[in-house]
Amino acid sequence: MERGSDGDRVDVAVVGAGFGGMYMSHRARSLGLAVRAFDVADDVGGTWYWNRYPGARCDVESLEYSYSFDEALQREWRWTERYAAQPEILAYARHVAERFDLRRDIRLRTRVTGARWDEAAREWVVETDPGEPLRARFLVLASGPLSSTNLPGFPGLAAFEGRTFHTGRWPHEPVSFAGRRVAVIGTGSSAVQMVPVVAREAAALTVFQRTAAYCVPARNGPIDPAYEATVRADYAGFRARNREQLAGFGSTLPPPEPSALTATEDERRRAFDARWALGGFAFGRTFRDLGTDPRANELAAQYIRDRIAETVADPATARRLMPTHAILCKRLCVDSGYYETFNRPNVRLVSLHEQPIERFEAHGLVAGGEPMRFDDVVFATGFDAMTGSALKIDPVGRDGLRLSQAWREGPVNCLGLGVAGFPNLFTLVGPGSPSALTNVIVQIEQHVDWVARCIDWMRASGHATIEPTAAAQAAWVEHVNTAMAPTVFSRCDSWYVGANVPGKPRVIMALYGFPAYARRCEETAAAGYTGYEVG
Ligand code: N01
């Protein structure tokens, strides 16, 4: 493989300039390959470029939600808070882009509109807007698992004359809610972060809830200098221990207790209280059986319902806020005063089960027969997760096969990384990998390293193409389904299974357990890419 020219042909084309696209570009370039990345945004940062709604911050701690690939980078960057806010994470992404001179290979304000495999030339033809088609030996989709927004088609929405927003496409100019009547639709992680902040500013805030959220307190604050010093004293060891955690983070948290069922009531209460006091995802791993035994799960769920009852003054509102589904089957929301917000006189909760939205009108909407006036409506309705961004590009592989055809009944692939019929295509953080069930930066680094090693191996062994066999792909899909069926993640209507988007096939799209997965990828590579066809 020759180093590509800087004309219309490169070795590696990358879709996206978020954390995945940036690291992929860096690794490809360090192998001496010509790389070109594209992003429709006007800056790097991906998710953290778009999700700049009030209160946006990460729910994984700053010292863990950052790249580990460069010791000097992790030593020089200082985080200010336990959980970094969106502007700080975006500043970090920009810093990385400058530090590694990534911008010269990134074309911003450029959308990848399509990609087609040219069998004769054995390369991808990538179409962009604006721009001429680019030819590339390899195509890496780093377009993100949570980047294609989900905007439900409410009747009459076009007639609404007020302002509308989606949390995942937040404007770059300042948005003031002062003195305004605001509606927020949806109560997932984004809304849970945003609602307390907007409530302090708006004249009136109405939150429309379809499914109540389990929230755990973030207990955010300035980074603890003593803790930071311990981590920095052995950053590499800290990273390695986190990679051995099931979710790729949390190695310094107290280990889970064996069972919520065998603990006495007192022991259970003490264990839950201790994690609740620590804040963040610690609560979700109080006992080993919370994700596997529905009775243990219910004990954790009831603990949170009890906290809601203690916190929310109006009993009817408290009751509406209490989730009834299994805890952990949707991502826990990490909050800063969400439940407390409903004690404010200017905040109202509407359950969509009691009052479904019938239609929008010029000055508001009608829900359950009640007309309501709003100046602003915020859609915190999430994403067409895991598959949405890849399917928007809808690459065309061998023999004219479209990705949307291959994935008609849900995404299929091998290791979450490659799809049969699509040579030299890699899906970073793809469905069927641990993806969103991990610290996503850990997943990104593992995927990029695997892809870079694979490309390097092909170059060394003189191969031009690689793709999974249909049999290996079927076996991987079967493995993911079998491993995930008994877990809590398959148990309710969430974006993990595609249930949040009407008409999307219901398939579990993430595999829990990062260390075993990473070992499996490692073994596949070490054995010369078993299950892959090389040409
Ligand atoms: O989206 P969501 P999100 N009518 O899908 C509701 C990550 N993230 O943007 O549950 C009415 O979780 C929907 O209701 P239901 C994190 O991984 C991380 O909040 O489907 N309501 C739900 O309440 C997270 O999991 C951070 O019944 C409708 C809400 O909208 C993921 O991104 C911060 C509806 C959507 O919740 C997505 O979070 C933010 C309809 N037609 C996000 N359709 C941090 O790091 C959907 N809803 C902290």
Side-chain angles (χ1 to χ4, degrees):
M1 204 177 316
E2 294 302 312
R3 190 185 160 86
S5 74
D6 57 0
D8 63 352
R9 179 173 272 107
V10 292
D11 298 309
V12 185
V14 180
V15 184
F19 283 99
M22 286 201 296
Y23 183 44
M24 189 69 241
S25 303
H26 174 64
R27 288 285 278 125
R29 197 198 280 166
S30 59
L31 289 174
L33 301 170
V35 59
R36 181 88 45 84
F38 300 97
D39 203 301
V40 72
D42 62 15
D43 205 349
V44 298
T47 271
W48 300 103
Y49 172 89
W50 294 108
N51 287 266
R52 50 177 79 204
Y53 55 84
R57 65 175 67 249
C58 192
D59 56 6
V60 174
E61 296 190 18
S62 319
L63 291 167
E64 301 177 52
Y65 192 87
S66 47
Y67 287 123
S68 72
F69 69 84
D70 188 274
E71 182 61 21
L73 170 68
Q74 65 186 6
R75 296 227 152 265
E76 77 202 10
W77 184 266
R78 303 302 289 263
W79 297 101
T80 61
E81 291 181 278
R82 177 177 175 187
Y83 298 98
Q86 175 271 335
E88 193 169 13
I89 305 177
L90 186 58
Y92 173 72
R94 289 179 174 143
H95 170 74
V96 172
E98 307 303 331
R99 193 184 192 294
F100 297 98
D101 187 25
L102 300 178
R103 290 184 189 277
R104 71 180 152 94
D105 292 326
I106 298 174
R107 298 292 174 271
L108 296 168
R109 291 175 287 276
T110 306
R111 180 183 293 282
V112 173
T113 53
R116 176 175 56 79
W117 175 250
D118 179 342
E119 180 67 30
R122 296 169 131 194
E123 53 192 18
W124 284 96
V125 183
V126 181
E127 272 138 34
T128 64
D129 178 21
E132 294 302 308
L134 175 82
R135 290 185 162 264
R137 205 37 99 53
F138 297 95
L139 176 61
V140 181
L141 300 186
S143 41
L146 292 161
S147 55
S148 178
T149 51
N150 172 40
L151 183 59
F154 290 106
L157 184 55
F160 180 61
E161 290 174 6
R163 299 186 301 181
T164 57
F165 304 91
H166 192 289
T167 51
R169 282 289 176 279
W170 202 259
H172 285 229
E173 53 282 0
V175 175
S176 169
F177 291 109
R180 298 179 73 87
R181 292 161 301 184
V182 182
V184 171
I185 301 178
T187 53
S189 300
S190 302
V192 159
Q193 290 187 324
M194 182 180 176
V195 158
V197 182
V198 175
R200 291 197 283 273
E201 200 188 4
L205 169 63
T206 306
V207 178
F208 290 88
Q209 168 189 280
R210 185 163 72 178
T211 306
Y214 288 103
C215 300
V216 291
R219 309 210 185 283
N220 186 37
I223 221 159
D224 171 4
Y227 175 65
E228 189 192 11
T230 323
V231 169
R232 294 175 76 83
D234 176 24
Y235 225 141
F238 175 72
R239 302 290 198 183
R241 288 187 290 279
N242 279 330
R243 282 193 282 267
E244 284 307 315
Q245 298 291 306
L246 287 173
F249 67 97
S251 63
T252 55
L253 295 175
E257 309 278 341
S259 166
L261 299 174
T262 57
T264 65
E265 207 176 320
D266 244 29
E267 288 166 343
R268 202 160 49 230
R269 175 73 200 220
R270 271 201 304 276
F272 281 139
D273 282 350
R275 271 67 169 193
W276 189 261
L278 272 178
F281 287 128
F283 183 82
R285 32 178 275 174
T286 307
F287 294 100
R288 271 186 220 294
D289 49 1
L290 297 187
T292 49
D293 189 311
R295 293 164 305 162
N297 187 283
E298 173 55 24
L299 291 165
Q302 190 54 43
Y303 180 93
I304 296 196
R305 289 184 209 119
D306 292 345
R307 302 288 77 70
I308 296 171
E310 278 171 11
T311 307
V312 179
D314 172 43
T317 304
R319 185 181 42 75
R320 290 188 186 103
L321 284 168
M322 290 178 192
T324 51
H325 57 278
I327 185 170
L328 304 177
C329 75
K330 294 175 184 246
R331 190 169 173 106
L332 273 183
C333 297
V334 178
D335 85 299
S336 296
Y338 176 70
Y339 295 132
E340 288 85 343
T341 299
F342 292 93
N343 292 333
R344 297 178 65 104
N346 66 332
V347 177
R348 174 182 176 191
L349 178 72
V350 172
S351 161
L352 290 170
H353 297 293
E354 296 164 10
Q355 289 186 255
I357 295 174
E358 286 151 32
R359 63 181 180 280
F360 276 79
E361 295 182 332
H363 302 292
L365 57 80
V366 179
E370 182 188 342
M372 303 180 194
R373 290 177 79 87
F374 294 112
D375 304 308
D376 302 319
V377 176
V378 177
F379 293 95
T381 44
F383 300 89
D384 180 0
M386 309 299 295
T387 55
S389 61
L391 289 173
K392 269 188 186 162
I393 297 165
D394 202 8
V396 183
R398 239 188 250 290
D399 303 324
L401 178 66
R402 285 191 164 274
L403 191 63
S404 54
Q405 293 168 322
W407 286 6
R408 202 175 29 237
E409 287 165 22
V412 290
N413 60 28
C414 188
L415 297 174
L417 274 161
V419 188
F422 295 81
N424 296 3
L425 173 78
F426 299 104
T427 52
L428 291 194
V429 196
S433 72
S435 59
L437 291 180
T438 57
N439 173 354
V440 78
I441 301 213
V442 168
Q443 176 70 90
I444 283 168
E445 289 192 326
Q446 185 262 339
H447 269 183
V448 169
D449 290 344
W450 192 91
V451 171
R453 176 177 171 183
C454 176
I455 294 176
D456 198 31
W457 173 82
M458 289 177 65
R459 179 167 60 176
S461 53
H463 293 300
T465 61
I466 185 164
E467 71 181 283
T469 64
Q473 174 166 286
W476 181 253
V477 172
E478 176 67 23
H479 168 69
V480 173
N481 289 338
T482 308
M484 294 304 287
T487 70
V488 70
F489 304 112
S490 300
R491 218 176 286 157
C492 64
D493 291 347
S494 70
W495 60 259
Y496 297 150
V497 298
N500 63 325
V501 175
K504 193 165 171 172
R506 190 185 179 103
V507 176
I508 182 75
M509 291 187 285
L511 173 69
Y512 189 55
F514 178 78
Y517 168 80
R519 275 191 276 280
R520 179 80 171 255
C521 291
E522 176 68 28
E523 286 158 14
T524 302
Y529 300 91
T530 41
Y532 282 77
E533 221 168 78
V534 285

